[in-house]
Amino acid sequence: EVPKARLASHLESLGLRMTAEREKILAEVTTRVGHFDVETLCAQMRQKGVSVSRATVYRTLDIMMKCGLVRKMWVGEDRFLYESAYPRRELPRGAGRRHGHLVCEKCGKVEEFFDETVDARLEAICWRSNFMARGRSLQVFGFCETCRGAAEESPGVV
């Protein structure tokens, strides 16, 4: 199923319609690789001459999240990042696979990690609990190499 059809179907189920703005947001999001925040997405769309309101972007991302086209992840404080959940053949090796995130609490850097053993453990945990998982989100909070070095030089100051 193509992203446009999936979004259009979901919008129709909500009594909403596919607008030109939603189509532009969908096109921008489904061609991205990596994480993004709303401010960055809006700025990059403006640079391309596409005018959409921040409120429309937030609402559209929320709708796209509910129909499985976007993943939203909390990375501390009031900060959220998004990533396309739509699989594409041209993604770099490993991109789009189930992965976790290492989130630096100081600088905000987010690094992806892939580990089949983590996936296997989570599947085993769900199986033991007779739990049917529909998705997962794994974030590990701490300090990146740069910030950890600064924290170790100044104990108690982060």
Side-chain angles (χ1 to χ4, degrees):
E1 182 181 29
V2 295
K4 185 176 177 181
R6 183 187 295 185
L7 181 58
S9 174
H10 188 72
L11 287 165
E12 186 178 325
S13 76
L14 298 171
L16 301 171
R17 59 189 182 84
M18 178 69 87
T19 63
E21 291 83 6
R22 288 180 178 138
E23 279 192 54
K24 290 172 185 172
I25 294 165
L26 174 69
E28 186 68 28
V29 168
T30 55
T31 58
R32 297 180 80 84
V33 174
H35 307 102
F36 61 92
D37 60 21
V38 170
E39 295 305 318
T40 302
L41 181 66
C42 288
Q44 290 173 343
M45 290 181 76
R46 275 193 299 276
Q47 287 175 345
K48 294 178 181 180
V50 178
S51 177
V52 291
S53 75
R54 188 177 293 112
T56 299
V57 171
Y58 273 108
R59 283 193 302 271
T60 302
L61 288 173
D62 187 52
I63 291 167
M64 290 174 69
M65 185 182 66
K66 290 176 181 166
C67 70
L69 291 171
V70 168
R71 283 187 285 271
K72 179 179 182 180
M73 105 182 115
W74 176 75
V75 290
E77 303 283 319
D78 291 329
R79 187 170 171 237
F80 292 90
L81 293 179
Y82 298 84
E83 63 185 344
S84 175
Y86 185 71
R88 297 191 327 271
R89 287 190 191 112
E90 69 275 10
L91 287 174
R93 184 181 175 124
R97 291 188 342 204
R98 294 197 318 184
H99 58 275
H101 301 94
L102 303 174
V103 181
C104 181
E105 295 176 281
K106 185 167 184 178
C107 71
K109 176 183 172 186
V110 177
E111 184 178 326
E112 291 184 351
F113 68 88
F114 304 93
D115 188 323
E116 287 81 12
T117 58
V118 170
D119 289 340
R121 289 292 303 138
L122 291 172
E123 287 176 20
I125 290 166
C126 290
W127 183 81
R128 266 197 325 262
S129 299
N130 198 23
F131 183 80
M132 185 180 86
R134 294 180 1 128
R136 72 172 182 93
S137 177
L138 179 59
Q139 283 91 252
V140 179
F141 294 89
F143 302 103
C144 68
E145 184 177 9
T146 303
C147 295
R148 190 181 78 221
E152 288 171 353
E153 291 171 13
S154 309
V157 178
V158 180

